[in-house]
Amino acid sequence: MDNPGEMVYFKGAMPILTLPYDARRTIRLALPDRNFLGSAEQQRIPAAADPVAEIRRALAAPIGSPRLAELARGKKRVTIAVTDLTRYCPDEMVAEAILNELAGAGLAPSSITFVVGLGSHRAMTPAEILAKLGPRVAERYRILNHAWRDDRTLVDLGTENGFPIQVSREVTDADLRITTGVIEPHLFAGYSGGAKTMVIGAGGHATIGATHGYPVLSHPTSRLGYADSIFRRFINAAGERIGVEFVVNLVIDPGERLHRALAGHPTAVYREGVAVARRVFEAPVPGMADIVVSVPGPPKNLNLYQATRACYPAILGPTPVLRPGGIVIVPTPCPDGVGDDFTRQWLSDAPDGPSIVEKARRFGIPEGAHMGYRFGRFLIHASQVIITDCQIPPETIRELRLSSMPTVQEAVESAIGALGPDAGVLVIPHGVATLPVIAS
């Protein structure tokens, strides 16, 4: 397979970019030299030579916390929240390392429950859980998909910073709470990680609805890479209230290379992990572009809800790299479809970006519609967001106020035709996990 983002020159022809598409295939994009501004490439920082050893190292030297085996001594019931299939996190490796620590404290498998931190995402199938956690964990331990809408399984713990704390009973009934996660750029939290997989992943509809509502999404700190956002402050405070004692977070680049494992107290791990993540995910770019081709890549390309996160770096990063009125192009397969059935209904009386944002301001953002609000923010800045190479019917994409074209090549040629022959094109090969920074 070609290296995603690699530029290949053919004699007498324009440069060709090879872009990630799905787990098995790449796609190619030809760009005239005069239009191609560059590719937002992350720095090639050395990765951990042995991921298993790196995870064990982190557990042996926790940050701001005693070792997990010490915390677990005398505990009767342990809940471990793990990431779902929308996050690339080698949870099998992490789970095995955590379980070794718990076994050292004398805990039996019957006292340990895994909760898949779905948030509002779909439940994972038994086959997906097996692939995620491995056969030993899947066959020996109790594993539950989190049910974020089922009030019978949820507990209300009051409010923090004005937001309700509602979480799975599996979490509150435990006397030791552990969570896994990755530290990567995130629109609301600045960076993911810390206690997020338990606070939000195992959070109930009240928490998810409030933290994904208009006051958070419209807040000036809700930007990629803003590590002290209003959402992050809630996660940290709610994690303390819930009693998340220990986290294992990984910094993994888009090539699925582990750079650093961190374990210990949630906020201490987050703080140190963000410093590592900045070095991994920030990518210098020469300036603003008229057209941005941003590729979500797997696993974010499973559905449109996740894949459109590739728009964030162009528009909602530390500094926008797309000029106002420019065009964003997102090539993505989306085999699971839209991923949010309510958004189309919510957008039915809001035909464009300004009307979407105004509707959210006046009436709020109901549960399950925050993707639609994001589209509104995109379309206030960009003249178009074009989805290409996609399995979702074009009419469905248009109902979401986005545009559809068959291929990324056709979309780029159309965008250059619309914006002028000298329109500059920036390519972000790993659009969900890149923070483009304009060189000073």
Side-chain angles (χ1 to χ4, degrees), residues 136-390:
R136 191 177 89 88
V137 175
E139 292 165 8
R140 295 186 64 195
Y141 290 85
R142 181 170 176 255
I143 303 171
L144 302 173
N145 277 306
H146 173 56
W148 73 294
R149 287 188 182 276
D150 187 352
D151 284 320
R152 297 169 301 174
T153 69
L154 302 172
V155 176
D156 295 304
L157 298 177
T159 62
E160 189 66 53
N161 298 339
F163 300 108
I165 303 174
Q166 186 184 54
V167 70
S168 169
R169 190 176 299 280
E170 296 293 334
V171 171
T172 59
D173 285 355
D175 55 5
L176 178 61
R177 302 163 194 88
I178 305 164
T179 186
T180 69
V182 291
I183 299 179
E184 64 184 9
H186 186 278
L187 178 60
F188 314 150
Y191 286 87
S192 56
K196 183 175 178 292
T197 304
M198 188 163 274
V199 173
I200 304 298
H205 57 89
T207 291
I208 292 172
T211 56
H212 290 64
Y214 182 80
V216 172
L217 272 64
S218 65
H219 199 275
T221 64
S222 291
R223 303 193 75 84
L224 284 176
Y226 196 104
D228 190 33
S229 70
I230 184 174
F231 185 40
R232 170 53 56 185
R233 291 176 197 169
F234 169 74
I235 290 170
N236 292 349
E240 293 287 341
R241 286 274 295 277
I242 291 167
V244 184
E245 288 100 328
F246 200 88
V247 305
V248 182
N249 284 175
L250 308 181
V251 180
I252 301 173
D253 70 21
E256 299 181 357
R257 302 185 310 150
L258 173 62
H259 287 266
R260 179 86 179 272
L262 306 100
H265 188 273
T267 55
V269 163
Y270 176 75
R271 186 165 48 248
E272 189 164 322
V274 164
V276 177
R278 288 193 194 281
R279 297 195 295 273
V280 172
F281 295 111
E282 288 187 356
V285 297
M288 297 183 81
D290 303 294
I291 301 162
V292 174
V293 178
S294 191
V295 187
K300 299 295 188 185
N301 58 12
L302 285 174
N303 60 52
L304 198 65
Y305 171 90
Q306 295 292 335
T308 49
R309 293 179 182 227
C311 297
Y312 293 173
I315 299 170
L316 300 174
T319 302
V321 296
L322 180 76
R323 286 196 176 91
I327 295 173
V328 182
I329 299 168
V330 181
T332 178
C334 299
D336 281 2
V338 173
D340 173 4
D341 294 330
F342 182 63
T343 287
R344 271 186 290 170
Q345 176 186 337
W346 187 71
L347 291 177
S348 61
D349 61 350
D352 53 26
S355 63
I356 294 168
V357 171
E358 177 61 15
K359 180 177 182 177
R361 186 191 68 79
R362 290 182 63 194
F363 304 111
I365 303 171
E367 289 176 13
H370 71 276
M371 178 173 71
Y373 174 75
R374 287 195 279 119
F375 294 170
R377 287 190 69 181
F378 297 161
L379 293 171
I380 282 179
H381 188 96
S383 60
Q384 285 187 86
V385 174
I386 306 175
I387 308 300
T388 75
D389 304 270
C390 191

Side-chain angles (χ1 to χ4, degrees), residues 73-95:
R73 217 163 267 122
K75 303 299 185 183
K76 303 297 183 186
R77 186 169 179 176
V78 179
T79 293
I80 305 170
V82 295
T83 67
D84 73 354
L85 80 171
T86 67
R87 306 296 190 263
Y88 177 74
C89 181
D91 277 301
E92 180 179 3
M93 286 185 205
V94 179

